[in-house]
Amino acid sequence: MSKTPITSLGEFGLIDHLTRNITHYHKETLKGVGDDTAVAAFSKEDQVLLTKDLLVEGVHFNTMYTPLKHLGYKSIAVNLSDIYAMNGTPTQVIIGVAISSRYTVEAMEELYAGMKLACEKYKVDMVGGDTTTSVSGLTISVTAMGKVSQNNITYRSGANTDDLICVSGNLGGAYAGLLVLEREKEVYKANPGVQPDLSKYNYVLERQLKPEPRKDITEIFSRLQITPTAMIDVSDGLASEILHICKSSKKGAAIYEEKIPVDMQTAGVGHEFEIDPTTLALNGGEDYELLFTISQKDYEKIKDLEDISIIGHITNNPQQADLITTSENVVPLKAQGWDAFKKEEE
Amino acid sequence: MSKTPITSLGEFGLIDHLTRNITHYHKETLKGVGDDTAVAAFSKEDQVLLTKDLLVEGVHFNTMYTPLKHLGYKSIAVNLSDIYAMNGTPTQVIIGVAISSRYTVEAMEELYAGMKLACEKYKVDMVGGDTTTSVSGLTISVTAMGKVSQNNITYRSGANTDDLICVSGNLGGAYAGLLVLEREKEVYKANPGVQPDLSKYNYVLERQLKPEPRKDITEIFSRLQITPTAMIDVSDGLASEILHICKSSKKGAAIYEEKIPVDMQTAGVGHEFEIDPTTLALNGGEDYELLFTISQKDYEKIKDLEDISIIGHITNNPQQADLITTSENVVPLKAQGWDAFKKEEE
């Protein structure tokens, strides 16, 4: 039997490969693999959304610098983000935790306290849990269920030529926070007694450790009566997500570097680490902002909203996404985003 | 901060402890923690069932003797079993897999081939997947969604005094299979060249490696127009499951040892390992049979069904479940079933 390393395919390649030619038996199944969530239509009014994310110790988090309460909060937040990315409302979460004997009841209480805090903030019902042992480390598996009306559901696949490409908040901050934490970890290993002053990094650290999914953006859509034509959450970096929308919508995109929103603190950390702010935004990941496209007719409704940036437009070139740089060069975007399988090779 | 070991609570104790006082915000959430699945009522006709199980390498399976295709099949089967235990129909599954670099693409293909086979057999739609790396080993997280009409849903909590306690198939076989596999593993370690002849264990090995959830039993209920008053699947052993029904229903139970169905091969393995067949059935676990209670008025409908055994009745003593032994002694049942946290201490 041949032995192909997983890294030769990467996460998306592997999923595509393994789920090719999947048969669906239920007419209620509207969407399987390939969007932020799966979609099932059990009722005439509301469609059911289902999504799941795994967080693995040593791959997605490091307990040396991630407080368990934050980790619990984040494990819920990243799943809710997928539901919001369908323009839906999360309703229930179900939790799976595998823990080694190194973890105590008190540690689990911290983890669950963070999960409950996120459930409370976003009004989501924790409806079940499977807790078991692991041989080593902590693995958290959260599944979120949500609902959305047939008229409001937003897939990745609906972008039309000339639609405006918009993004909420700002990008690159979560990765900037990770850079700082990884550096401090090495400093701490060398000098265990030293307590670093991280106050000047507070914003990027919060972006990394306690991301907030953008429920408020879906509320703005509802209030302004906008339904985006396509939407995805930014978990792997702007470049990767734009390419997902282009691929699903069979369209292209043009993004303007000068329009990409980056916070000053993120830019400052980029400066320290000699990484261009645009690179942080394009490839950083874990920002959990919403990237969406809207029809030009909705321009007036959103143009003055402070927390939404129009960064480009959809083109007719299938799957070709270009970055127009500040110096007016045109650079094809590549998905060099955070990939769990690439990370392993680093 | 005090440091309470997880083992002091066990799996059910830990879940109870962590999910105490959970607030639900959605009126659609009918059932959270504490049954085979969570239940949400998004539509008037069908209620949505949601369940999740984690399978962890070195805790729930050993790849030394578990073919990956079987493991994939089992990871789906155990989740569907929870949906059938609500008298429901599984409709979708969503998969999470964390794998170390030791696994190849071909290994993942085997795992998914088993998953797809189970999905095909039970007509369930695989609607998504999150695949990521792990630092060590393989962790599989499957979430199953299903539906059931309001009239047919069967909780653990509906058993009434004098209801008949029934179980499908036979018990203890899966644990007997595990005993054989664990023994052969040790033999193999000592003499790596020797290929053992396991043909006389074929039935119990299949019970362990490739369990079949009892869809057929729910079909019998439908055909005979029976709705069980309470139901649970046998994943942790008969004793543990009966106590779950008693606790949820606030009733007691009397079980007759001579009525507990045990296959001859299971009894034979018990003989080899000097374990009483009743002990295998009560504490073995992983049989994925259905344990259910029915009203006495339904007795005529099921009394001649070959694959269903009536093993006792519900009593009025809250939470007291007794085994009436073949020698007519009365022994209180204790949940000594397979518990992931106890296992670690062995």
Side-chain angles (χ1 to χ4, degrees), chain A residues 129-132, chain B residues 6 9-16 236 338-341:
Chain A
D130 176 26
T131 302
T132 186
Chain B
I6 298 283
L9 292 175
E11 179 182 352
F12 300 124
L14 182 64
I15 287 280
D16 282 351
D236 295 305
W338 192 89
D339 184 316
F341 291 105

Side-chain angles (χ1 to χ4, degrees), chain B residues 279-334:
Chain B
T279 303
L280 290 176
L282 287 174
N283 301 332
E286 291 201 280
D287 291 314
Y288 299 103
E289 297 294 343
L290 291 175
L291 176 73
F292 56 95
T293 57
I294 59 168
S295 164
Q296 294 223 7
K297 74 176 168 49
D298 288 327
Y299 171 73
E300 286 295 324
K301 289 183 184 169
I302 69 147
K303 71 178 171 47
D304 297 325
L305 292 177
E306 237 178 51
D307 212 24
I308 291 177
S309 305
I310 302 171
I311 60 171
H313 62 270
I314 295 293
T315 69
N316 217 2
N317 300 327
Q319 298 192 34
Q320 168 86 32
D322 290 322
L323 178 74
I324 292 93
T325 68
T326 314
S327 50
E328 298 194 351
N329 290 319
V330 176
V331 183
L333 285 178
K334 289 200 180 116

